[in-house]
Amino acid sequence: MIRKFLYAAIAVLAVSHTVRAEWHYWQVDSKNRFICESSADGTTTNWLFKANIVSTPDRELEIPNGGSAVSTSAYLAGSGTLDFTDFEKDTGWKLVQIGGWMLGFTDSLKHIVTGKLVLPDVRSVGIHGFSNQDITEVWAPELKAISTNNKAGAFEGCTQLEKAYVPKAEALGQGSFHGCSSLTDIGALDNLITINGGAFQGCTSLSAFPMVLPKVTTIDAYAFESVPLTGDFYLPCVTNVGGWCFTSKSLTGFIAPKLEEMVGKNTFNGC
């Protein structure tokens, strides 16, 4: 019988080796195993997670750094959409943080998610959280910190990613979307404050990037290297810009009335 509660440091074991097209049922079983079930046939899939309680009164939890690395073989069989929409309804807990190395970086975990990534309540994703996945779209309306602690690549190397909806993002860590060469739509980023090094480096299809960032104060080196920015870039609050940030020949203007310092060389190389 499925029990609707969760203990700290839960180990999640999934047992089936059948490839599923879509997953979105999340439950805790009688042995405190955190199970992802398939929407197709209701059988358990081949996944394994750890989870830690963040806030008991608010019933919030996080997947810690390395939370998926307990058994890399548990990830090899599944592919498809990864959807956390039903997480709170089915478990009684709200997933608010995904730590580093969730599914990224390790060779054996690459290319598992091949569709939409839905993170309705997640507020932060850590270093290499989903790097090198074949994700086509990220929907994360509450996400504020991407690649936490200013480190690398939450979505780095996701070459199939076309759209990312992160309207509340405040901080983009180093290489957050590095190498996402198919990304064409990032949506509004009106809450963004910090863009760390190489955040959009290599996003060669992102010509529709929002050219007004009302709250950004810092843009680090290589942030927009190879990004085809088009038109005038208006940054009313930016004070520091790093080297090799902008290389687009379509960038016609850079308006930053509070700019105090350009750190590094060739900030507008090739523009």
Side-chain angles (χ1 to χ4, degrees), residues 10 18 27 60 77 104 133 139 149 158 162 173 180 184 194 201 217 232 235-237:
I10 291 173
T18 304
Q27 298 174 317
E60 295 180 343
Q133 297 299 313
W139 190 81
N149 299 321
C158 292
E162 298 177 356
C180 294
T184 60
T194 302
Q201 186 177 14
T217 60
D232 293 347
L235 300 157
C237 295

Side-chain angles (χ1 to χ4, degrees), residues 7 27 57 60 73 86 101 138 221 239 241 243:
Y7 294 110
Q27 298 174 317
E60 295 180 343
S73 63
D86 291 333
W101 299 282
V138 174
T239 57
V241 177

Side-chain angles (χ1 to χ4, degrees), residues 21-266:
E22 184 174 358
W23 309 322
H24 57 77
Y25 295 107
W26 306 83
Q27 298 174 317
V28 181
D29 72 1
S30 60
K31 295 182 180 179
N32 299 327
R33 297 181 301 180
F34 196 43
I35 295 175
C36 167
E37 292 187 340
S38 166
S39 61
D41 56 17
T43 61
T44 56
T45 58
N46 197 25
W47 283 75
L48 186 151
F49 293 105
K50 283 183 177 179
N52 294 326
I53 293 175
V54 177
S55 171
T56 302
D58 297 326
R59 299 186 67 80
E60 295 180 343
L61 61 87
E62 64 181 15
I63 295 174
N65 288 337
S68 71
V70 177
S71 174
T72 56
S73 63
Y75 295 87
L76 298 178
S79 63
T81 292
L82 182 55
D83 187 345
F84 285 84
T85 300
D86 291 333
F87 188 99
E88 184 177 10
K89 180 181 72 175
D90 290 343
T91 69
W93 293 80
K94 182 181 293 186
L95 182 62
V96 297
Q97 178 175 316
I98 293 176
W101 299 282
M102 167 72 171
L103 289 176
F105 194 71
T106 305
D107 286 343
S108 60
L109 300 182
K110 292 180 179 179
H111 312 300
I112 290 171
V113 183
T114 60
K116 189 174 182 179
L117 176 64
V118 182
L119 306 172
D121 300 305
V122 173
R123 297 194 289 261
S124 68
V125 175
I127 174 175
H128 291 301
F130 294 96
S131 62
N132 298 305
Q133 297 299 313
D134 293 334
I135 298 167
T136 57
E137 181 177 350
V138 174
W139 190 81
E142 300 298 323
L143 191 58
K144 293 183 178 181
I146 303 174
S147 301
T148 52
N149 299 321
N150 299 331
K151 294 186 178 179
F155 301 103
E156 181 177 351
C158 292
T159 58
Q160 305 302 311
L161 181 62
E162 298 177 356
K163 182 177 181 179
Y165 179 70
V166 289
K168 292 187 179 180
E170 296 177 356
L172 298 181
Q174 181 179 336
S176 291
F177 292 95
H178 181 274
C180 294
S181 55
S182 299
L183 185 62
T184 60
D185 185 359
I186 193 71
L189 295 172
D190 291 344
N191 293 293
L192 195 57
I193 297 172
T194 302
I195 304 175
N196 281 282
F200 293 102
Q201 186 177 14
C203 293
T204 54
S205 301
L206 194 54
S207 58
F209 189 87
M211 297 299 283
V212 178
L213 298 177
K215 295 182 180 180
V216 168
T217 60
T218 301
I219 302 175
D220 285 345
Y222 297 95
F224 294 97
E225 195 271 330
S226 297
V227 179
L229 298 174
T230 302
D232 293 347
F233 209 173
Y234 182 52
L235 300 157
C237 295
V238 78
T239 57
N240 295 282
V241 177
W244 298 90
C245 272
F246 308 102
T247 59
S248 175
K249 296 183 183 300
S250 301
L251 184 64
T252 56
F254 185 81
I255 305 165
K258 295 184 179 181
L259 184 63
E260 298 173 356
E261 185 178 12
M262 289 190 185
V263 182
K265 300 178 180 180
N266 300 309

